[in-house]
């Protein structure tokens, strides 16, 4: 079997979120346990497995694993895997690749930015809004003060395939000082469907960006993720739903990963269409390594 390592949501090599993509003829023979072992060996936030070199029902079958378990959907693995399918399997500059994931078919399209960069875009499922949470509870979990939270907007679980607890903060200083109290976190997630916490604020490192964010997922074996496409998709839906920028139209740039020295850039678009919110997340992919599993 072959593997490729890519950096996703990366403006340059060795930034963004790392992903290992396993592909080749023998992938379809792997058991779920073997896939998990390989994901643990790679030890990135996620590792993906392309189990066929030809489309099935219009899309390529792909499975996603963290070092602890399989996921039905994840953002940066979707973009990174689509990139490898285009580059290594199709070997042609197609405009779209469809992935068959556990949540359903997710299309990834290629578009050229104003700067001439190739941007990969994925359309996520319409977000679902569920449980809301008190500031005091999240303050104890994140070692923050209630005054750090932006109380104009709710702390709420949102899902486009995986639920995240979306937490609005006022300042970048609050964002930087956030630190998960693992004991209180373990108690907290006993009562929640969402296990991952996504915090954001309107103060950024670079003036041409709009929001700065962090994502914590200890339950998945990921203390902090440098760039989370699925969480940012939930954020895009949240911003539209609550008119964070003054309307439901969202077209923004989000920073993530600066606190763990993996600066990342995610592009978000969303808008309300009838009873649904259309969500798209985009970014660049850079290939950094390839090899063979023996």
């Amino acid at each position: 079997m072959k593997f490729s390592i890519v950096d996703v949501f990366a403006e340059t090599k060795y930034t963004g979120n790392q992903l290992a993509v396993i592909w080749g003829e023998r992938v379809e023979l792997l058991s779920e346990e073997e896939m998990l072992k390989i994901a643990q060996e790679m030890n990135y936030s996620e590792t993906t497995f392309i189990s066929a070199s030809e489309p099935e029902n219009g899309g390529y079958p792909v499975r996603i694993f963290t070092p602890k378990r399989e996921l039905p959907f994840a953002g940066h693995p979707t973009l990174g895997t689509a990139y490898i399918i285009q580059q290594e399997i199709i070997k042609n500059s197609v405009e779209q690749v469809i992935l068959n994931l556990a949540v359903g078919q997710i299309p990834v399209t290629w578009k050229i930015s104003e700067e001439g960069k190739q941007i990969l875009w994925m359309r996520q499922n319409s977000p679902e809004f569920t449980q809301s949470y008190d500031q005091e509870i999240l303050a104890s979990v994140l070692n923050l003060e209630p005054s750090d939270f932006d109380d104009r907007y709710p702390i709420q679980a949102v899902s486009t395939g995986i639920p995240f607890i979306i937490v609005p903060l006022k300042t970048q200083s609050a964002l930087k000082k956030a630190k998960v109290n693992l004991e209180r976190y373990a108690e907290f997630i006993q009562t929640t469907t969402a296990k991952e916490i996504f915090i954001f604020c309107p103060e950024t490192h670079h003036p041409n960006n709009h929001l700065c964010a962090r994502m914590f997922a200890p339950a998945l074996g990921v203390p902090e993720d440098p760039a989370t496409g699925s969480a940012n998709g939930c954020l895009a839906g949240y911003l539209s739903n609550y008119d964070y920028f003054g309307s439901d139209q969202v077209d923004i740039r989000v920073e993530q990963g600066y606190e763990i020295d993996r600066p990342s850039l995610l592009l978000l678009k969303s808008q309300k269409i009838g009873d649904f919110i259309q969500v798209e997340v985009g970014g660049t992919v850079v290939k950094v390594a390839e090899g063979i599993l023996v």
Side-chain angles (χ1 to χ4, degrees), residues 80-99:
T81 305
Y83 176 86
I84 292 301
I85 290 172
Q86 186 212 51
Q87 294 286 310
E88 304 292 349
I89 296 177
I90 300 175
K91 295 182 178 180
N92 193 10
S93 297
V94 296
E95 294 182 355
Q96 178 175 272
V97 169
I98 296 175
L99 273 59

Side-chain angles (χ1 to χ4, degrees), residues 15-224:
T15 64
N17 204 346
Q18 299 149 300
L19 174 72
V21 182
I22 314 300
W23 56 284
E25 295 179 359
R26 294 186 57 82
V27 175
E28 62 181 314
L29 304 177
L30 291 174
S31 67
E32 184 173 319
E33 181 180 4
E34 288 170 325
M35 290 183 182
L36 183 59
K37 289 292 185 183
I38 293 172
Q40 291 168 346
E41 182 73 14
M42 294 299 180
N43 204 34
Y44 292 144
S45 300
E46 285 98 4
T47 296
T48 62
F49 299 83
I50 305 168
S51 57
S53 59
E54 296 290 339
E56 298 177 0
N57 299 317
Y60 290 85
V62 173
R63 297 178 71 173
I64 305 170
F65 284 80
T66 76
K68 286 198 171 183
R69 66 181 179 89
E70 184 172 9
L71 297 179
F73 172 72
H76 94 274
T78 298
L79 292 189
T81 305
Y83 176 86
I84 292 301
I85 290 172
Q86 186 212 51
Q87 294 286 310
E88 304 292 349
I89 296 177
I90 300 175
K91 295 182 178 180
N92 193 10
S93 297
V94 296
E95 294 182 355
Q96 178 175 272
V97 169
I98 296 175
L99 273 59
N100 295 342
L101 304 177
V103 296
Q105 290 193 323
I106 301 293
V108 176
T109 57
W110 276 254
K111 295 179 182 178
I112 303 299
S113 70
E114 294 179 357
E115 298 81 16
K117 293 183 178 180
Q118 276 202 335
I119 307 295
L120 281 74
W121 287 92
M122 61 181 160
R123 180 168 295 179
Q124 299 185 11
N125 294 334
S126 183
E128 297 179 358
F129 299 82
T130 55
Q131 189 173 358
S132 296
Y133 303 91
D134 293 332
Q135 293 176 355
E136 290 76 10
I137 295 174
L138 269 298
S140 67
V141 172
L142 295 171
N143 285 305
L144 294 174
E145 301 296 328
S147 59
D148 291 321
F149 297 88
D150 188 342
D151 56 14
R152 296 174 299 170
Y153 306 98
I155 300 170
Q156 188 172 23
V158 184
S159 176
T160 63
I162 295 178
F164 292 86
I165 298 170
I166 306 297
V167 182
L169 301 178
K170 292 178 181 176
T171 65
Q172 195 174 83
S173 62
L175 186 94
K176 288 180 178 179
K177 74 178 180 180
K179 183 179 180 181
V180 176
N181 181 314
L182 292 177
E183 182 177 347
R184 291 177 180 174
Y185 170 81
E187 295 173 359
F188 172 63
I189 63 172
Q190 297 301 313
T191 63
T192 67
T193 300
K195 313 298 182 187
E196 291 72 58
I197 300 174
F198 187 81
I199 65 177
F200 74 96
C201 74
E203 296 179 353
T204 59
H205 295 270
H206 300 287
N208 56 338
N209 298 332
H210 301 88
L211 298 175
C212 192
R214 300 175 70 184
M215 199 286 282
F216 307 106
L220 294 178
V222 182
E224 181 168 354

Side-chain angles (χ1 to χ4, degrees), residues 240-272:
S240 285
N241 194 55
Y242 294 109
D243 294 343
Y244 186 90
F245 289 102
S247 79
D248 66 288
Q249 301 283 325
V250 172
D251 186 356
I252 63 167
R253 297 159 58 96
V254 179
E255 305 168 342
Q256 192 181 333
Y258 282 76
E259 289 72 22
I260 54 174
D261 298 321
R262 295 289 301 192
S264 308
L265 179 66
L266 302 97
L267 310 178
L268 309 188
K269 292 182 180 181
S270 61
Q271 62 178 334
K272 293 179 182 177

